[in-house]
Amino acid sequence: MTGTATVVGAGIGGLATAIGLRRAGWSVTVLERRTELERYGAAFGIHPTAQSALDRLGAGDALREHAVPYRDAHIRTPDGTSIARLPLERIERTAGRPELLISRPYLLDALLAGLDAFGDVPVKLGERVTDVEALAAGQDLVIGADGIRSAVRTARFGDRSGPREVGTVAWIGIADIESPVHGETWGSGRFFGLTPVEPGRTNWYATAPEATTADELRGLFAGWHDPIPHILDATDPATWIRYEMRHLYPALPSFVSADASAGHVALVGDAAHAMTPNLGQGACTAILDADALTRALAAAPPGPAGIAGALRAYDRERRRSAQRTAFASRTLHRFMSTERTRLRNGVVRLLPG
Ligand SMILES: Cc1cc2nc3c(=O)[nH]c(=O)nc-3n(C[C@H](O)[C@H](O)[C@H](O)COP(=O)(O)OP(=O)(O)OC[C@H]3O[C@@H](n4cnc5c(N)ncnc54)[C@H](O)[C@@H]3O)c2cc1C
């Protein structure tokens, strides 16, 4: 079926959903509160399932133009000893293609180019949505792709579920040098990650509860294995991003509001299930949501009952799966952050690579 939709939010989830809807023949408008799309952000892991979703959305080639494969990464102790391999080979063997990494601005560009190609999907900047019910009254469907503080979610589900801090500050950056090793190094209550992002550059992320400044962060990782201190020295602190890790809690009872009299609403991405970044699934899950929602709508019979059925099908396909991923990410966060390192590392050594 086709219809009219407004997508609230021009992040990864909103842009991917707008593409899917337009491909299905819908008339789509995207509203974004920022006056320009923020072109910062570090690398996103894109799992083969999300790559397939991007292929279905027609953005796979643009993704691969700037993405790099993620292979041969280890979990290490601060002295550099490898205690396990990340399961990247297994992912590649099973899926027939590798996990990819792409910096957030390139992924945004890929999606924006996909949308621009239609020539008739306005992305209206500087449009902060506050009256969700008025918006829903004038459309067949409103999509809340407006992130962890979603106004669309609050309008339909109240404020019982909201952003919760997990008590960890994360720092992320991109160094203009290539690291010879990749993966994560886990210390006591701290960790440091190194991934490729594009030739000649390294994406890094770190947590250290004691650090409040860049100098303190550098000091806390000074004794860690090479090239961690060197990577921090090679990144201008003015470009570092520092943020409180948060997730959506408690989990939502539904990702959709399939009530024709109030207006149909669906949530995608962080608005529906914001998670801690430990599993690197924030972008992937948003892309999978967009693909599942727009496939269900494309296959639905015309009319309000068709939309309601498609929304329920989307909720069935995505809610449990995304909420399990969010729970696993939060659990991994606790496991990585523990100060009981001997027990933790013993468990990690037993993991299959
Ligand atoms: C600038 C930025 C940088 C990021 N950098 C990283 C990173 O380096 N690493 C990482 O793991 N994750 C990062 N993230 C988060 C990551 O992009 C998301 O977790 C994931 O991609 C899911 O995206 P989303 O589209 O659901 O939500 P988001 O990416 O949060 O996008 C939501 C969009 O909705 C807009 N919006 C919010 N409220 C309204 C409203 N009321 N009306 C209209 N528009 C609204 C926001 O401005 C935003 O553009 C970043 C997010 C942003 C916005």
Side-chain angles (χ1 to χ4, degrees):
M1 72 162 298
T2 61
T4 57
T6 295
V7 177
V8 184
I12 306 299
L15 294 175
T17 305
I19 292 176
L21 282 171
R22 181 60 187 81
R23 281 173 78 86
W26 282 60
S27 167
V28 188
T29 302
V30 181
L31 303 180
E32 165 58 47
R33 71 181 162 133
R34 296 175 202 261
T35 49
E36 57 185 291
L37 295 184
E38 299 267 8
R39 308 201 48 75
Y40 70 80
F44 285 147
I46 306 293
H47 188 272
T49 52
Q51 294 171 37
S52 301
L54 286 171
D55 283 334
R56 283 190 291 276
L57 293 169
D61 288 341
L63 164 82
R64 283 180 285 275
E65 216 171 289
H66 287 287
V68 292
Y70 192 24
R71 296 186 170 108
D72 192 28
H74 295 242
I75 298 175
R76 295 182 171 81
T77 54
D79 66 3
T81 306
S82 168
I83 55 172
R85 290 172 81 97
L86 294 183
L88 298 167
E89 269 177 34
R90 189 150 39 90
I91 290 173
E92 185 165 353
R93 218 172 32 244
T94 310
R97 51 173 152 177
E99 171 99 4
L100 295 177
L101 287 156
I102 186 164
S103 79
R104 185 176 181 279
Y106 283 142
L107 184 55
L108 273 183
D109 282 347
L111 295 172
L112 277 170
L115 212 49
D116 277 353
F118 294 110
D120 59 3
V121 182
V123 178
K124 297 185 178 171
L125 301 175
E127 298 270 351
R128 177 190 289 272
V129 170
T130 51
D131 190 346
V132 174
E133 301 313 340
L135 190 63
Q139 311 285 313
D140 292 316
L141 178 62
V142 168
I143 289 101
D146 47 346
I148 191 166
R149 297 190 185 283
S150 171
V152 179
R153 182 185 67 234
T154 304
R156 280 302 161 94
F157 296 97
D159 53 12
R160 183 169 172 268
S161 296
R164 292 289 152 91
E165 291 179 0
V166 296
T168 301
V169 172
W171 303 70
I172 51 184
I174 296 186
D176 287 328
I177 53 172
E178 240 172 63
S179 170
V181 296
H182 296 122
E184 295 194 339
T185 303
W186 295 3
S188 175
R190 297 179 210 155
F191 56 86
F192 199 98
L194 292 163
T195 76
V197 58
E198 58 186 294
R201 307 185 86 198
T202 301
N203 172 66
W204 62 263
Y205 47 93
T207 70
E210 313 91 316
T212 55
T213 65
D215 278 348
E216 283 172 7
L217 193 79
R218 282 183 170 140
L220 288 164
F221 288 100
W224 287 37
H225 68 80
D226 282 337
I228 291 173
H230 189 43
I231 288 281
L232 287 176
D233 284 343
T235 321
D236 177 0
T239 65
W240 299 12
I241 301 169
R242 178 182 187 275
Y243 71 98
E244 284 282 348
M245 277 193 196
R246 290 166 304 168
H247 66 141
L248 183 69
Y249 183 84
L252 285 171
S254 176
F255 285 179
V256 301
S257 166
D259 172 357
S261 59
H264 294 117
V265 167
L267 302 174
V268 299
D270 282 6
H273 49 66
M275 59 189 74
T276 63
N278 304 77
L279 273 178
Q281 289 289 312
C284 285
T285 46
I287 292 163
L288 293 175
D289 292 349
D291 175 49
L293 174 62
T294 58
R295 264 190 291 107
L297 286 163
I307 299 181
L311 295 191
R312 284 192 289 269
Y314 161 64
D315 187 58
R316 274 196 303 278
E317 179 172 339
R318 288 300 303 149
R319 181 160 48 87
R320 292 249 162 90
S321 163
Q323 290 177 344
R324 265 198 304 270
T325 305
F327 179 75
S329 201
R330 172 87 180 96
T331 305
L332 180 62
H333 171 264
R334 283 206 195 98
F335 187 66
M336 289 167 76
S337 310
T338 184
E339 293 180 359
R340 301 172 69 191
T341 53
R342 281 175 65 132
L343 178 64
R344 181 197 62 198
N345 293 356
V347 173
V348 170
R349 284 190 172 92
L350 298 175
L351 296 176

